[in-house]
Amino acid sequence: MFPRIREITDAFGGRLRVSVEEHPAGALVVLERPDLNGRPRVLLDGYGVDVLAGYIMSARLSVPQGLPEEHVDGTFSTRLSLDLDPSACLVLRQGGLEALEIAAPFWDRLYAELSIVAAHARELTRRAEARVH
């Protein structure tokens, strides 16, 4: 079943890859742009996935207005922000790595995909915890 990989494409050929990978603590969700130079990517645990899903919905409801930045703490610390110029996109930053930009045409499909992968990630985490006990 894992790794689980899905690609979301837009009308202009842009690609956003969403995958779930096993991790000693359970599971990680990996977002990457294989169509861009440098292949920017971020790693999210369950907490990060939940915050990103909420941030996507908040962004959809706030555009064309701005939205305050969010910060996910922990091992996979991530800053999420909404950039409105020249067009709406989410910007995810982890440490000193290249930022991952997610344009508005990806948001709805990414939200739906995150809902699915969050369930898979929770189950992998539950299984990892059961192995420890």
Side-chain angles (χ1 to χ4, degrees), residues 33-51:
R33 291 293 308 266
D35 58 322
L36 299 178
N37 289 335
R39 297 176 65 114
R41 62 184 270 170
V42 297
L43 304 172
L44 300 171
D45 57 11
Y47 168 46
V49 168
D50 288 344
V51 173

Side-chain angles (χ1 to χ4, degrees), residues 5-129:
I5 302 169
R6 299 290 187 270
E7 282 200 359
I8 302 169
T9 58
D10 68 11
F12 305 105
R15 294 175 20 218
L16 175 63
R17 183 174 294 154
V18 181
S19 59
V20 179
E21 298 177 0
E22 289 187 87
H23 183 267
L28 292 179
V29 174
V30 182
L31 303 176
E32 65 182 312
R33 291 293 308 266
D35 58 322
L36 299 178
N37 289 335
R39 297 176 65 114
R41 62 184 270 170
V42 297
L43 304 172
L44 300 171
D45 57 11
Y47 168 46
V49 168
D50 288 344
V51 173
L52 176 57
Y55 201 77
I56 290 169
M57 187 56 67
S58 293
R60 286 190 89 255
L61 295 170
S62 72
V63 169
Q65 310 304 319
L67 188 62
E69 184 176 273
E70 284 289 334
H71 182 253
V72 174
D73 255 343
T75 305
F76 303 98
S77 178
T78 308
R79 290 202 177 277
L80 296 88
S81 60
L82 174 62
D83 191 353
L84 297 171
D85 187 33
S87 60
C89 76
L90 301 179
V91 181
L92 285 67
R93 291 182 179 85
Q94 286 186 323
L97 302 175
E98 182 177 352
L100 175 74
E101 295 183 356
I102 304 172
F106 289 114
W107 294 355
D108 289 345
R109 296 235 1 243
L110 177 57
Y111 181 85
E113 196 62 33
L114 290 175
S115 298
I116 294 168
V117 298
H120 286 305
R122 279 191 301 276
E123 177 59 14
L124 286 175
T125 300
R126 185 194 64 76
R127 290 179 188 179
E129 290 170 352

